[in-house]
Amino acid sequence: MQIIRNANHQYVISAGAHMTPAAEIYHNSVHAKHAHLRILTDDYRLLETSEIIPFIRNAEGLPLQVIISSEKHHCIEFLERCGFTRRRRCYEMKVSKDDLKTDLRHIHSIRSASVGDKDYEECCTLLYRYYGQTHAFVCPLTASFEEFCKSIPDFAYLLRSEDSVLCAAFVEGNELAYVCSESESVFSVFIEEVLGRLFASNPEICFEADDTDWAATVLKRLFLREADTIYDTYVLP
């Protein structure tokens, strides 16, 4: 039995005349300290017999990271046997106003900002810092501020003091793409006002809530509805 790494960044298990594409690696410049792994076969006995995971870990020279549906129990059991541990659970949410636990509170001091505005740049600075903090345990942020901002929506709601932005919510269409804040007590009121504005023009909105992200967790807890899909992140150091 032999393991071959091909030109497509796939690891193939060769057993006699039989070739089994077993896993592939991809890299993410935003999180460059890990090698991101996809399992391509559900033949877990073959994967274990070949010892492909330690082979890949040694070949890549980086911690391995897998993002996987929480419903893929057999694959998760295989990963855990190989030494992976869960670092994050991500809830994909699609909700309407009827899914709210209580009526929304309103404040009238939030602003909006777009690319080119000074407020928008301050929102990006807050998000970059917050994102780095909430992802440090999962996979450290390695992108520069400029590179990171390329993936952020062009519009944000914000709440600010005289000196700085306290909370921000980046929105694209009906998606609440990113939230961040300096204070949980301030954010809990801010995000309710943001939701009120979004529901005024959208029957449904969507967002992701990581269990490592306290602001997104505050947002998720405003709703009765459970997540449509749950993804887990596993890491082998």
Side-chain angles (χ1 to χ4, degrees):
M1 189 176 294
Q2 184 181 7
I3 300 171
I4 302 167
R5 188 179 192 272
N6 66 24
N8 296 321
H9 305 289
Q10 289 186 348
Y11 287 85
V12 178
I13 299 172
S14 172
H18 189 63
M19 305 284 283
T20 303
E24 67 180 356
I25 289 290
Y26 65 99
H27 295 277
N28 180 346
S29 61
V30 177
H31 299 286
K33 289 189 176 182
H34 289 182
H36 300 259
L37 175 70
R38 292 191 187 98
I39 303 297
L40 303 179
T41 178
D42 58 3
D43 189 343
Y44 302 114
R45 178 177 295 180
L46 175 64
L47 292 173
E48 289 195 69
T49 302
S50 69
E51 298 185 341
I52 192 170
I53 295 299
F55 182 93
I56 295 173
R57 175 65 180 85
N58 183 63
E60 297 293 331
L62 292 169
L64 301 181
Q65 177 172 322
V66 178
I67 298 176
I68 186 171
S69 167
S70 64
E71 296 181 353
K72 293 190 174 181
H73 304 295
H74 294 302
C75 189
I76 288 171
E77 290 170 1
F78 162 71
L79 293 173
E80 290 176 338
R81 288 195 299 272
C82 292
F84 284 82
T85 56
R86 194 178 80 191
R87 294 281 183 91
R88 173 180 58 192
R89 173 158 283 184
C90 177
Y91 301 89
E92 291 193 351
M93 305 289 292
K94 183 179 290 187
V95 295
S96 70
K97 193 172 183 179
D98 292 337
D99 297 316
L100 286 162
K101 292 180 179 179
T102 61
D103 292 338
L104 294 171
R105 294 173 290 174
H106 293 283
I107 58 175
H108 303 290
S109 55
I110 74 170
R111 308 180 187 182
S112 60
S114 300
V115 171
D117 298 339
K118 182 176 183 295
D119 279 347
Y120 178 85
E121 184 175 347
E122 288 189 42
C123 289
C124 292
T125 299
L126 174 60
L127 178 61
Y128 184 72
R129 182 169 65 251
Y130 179 86
Y131 187 98
Q133 292 168 351
T134 57
H135 282 74
F137 174 69
V138 183
C139 185
L141 173 64
T142 57
S144 67
F145 176 72
E146 291 74 18
E147 181 184 1
F148 179 79
C149 289
K150 292 176 183 177
S151 64
I152 299 174
D154 294 342
F155 178 85
Y157 289 110
L158 65 130
L159 179 67
R160 65 173 302 132
S161 66
E162 290 185 5
D163 300 323
S164 63
V165 172
L166 302 175
C167 308
F170 291 81
V171 176
E172 188 166 18
N174 73 330
E175 180 185 5
L176 193 45
Y178 296 98
V179 292
C180 56
S181 178
E182 298 281 10
S183 163
E184 184 169 343
S185 60
V186 174
F187 177 79
S188 64
V189 181
F190 163 78
I191 197 59
E192 291 189 35
E193 175 65 29
V194 171
L195 289 173
R197 298 193 184 195
L198 290 178
F199 283 133
S201 55
N202 299 282
E204 286 189 326
I205 65 168
C206 58
F207 61 90
E208 294 182 355
D210 294 349
D211 63 359
T212 56
D213 181 335
W214 68 258
T217 300
V218 168
L219 169 61
K220 176 180 176 292
R221 288 175 179 165
L222 293 173
F223 296 93
L224 294 165
R225 187 167 178 174
E226 296 297 325
D228 292 332
T229 309
I230 300 173
Y231 286 97
D232 293 331
T233 299
Y234 281 82
V235 174
L236 177 67

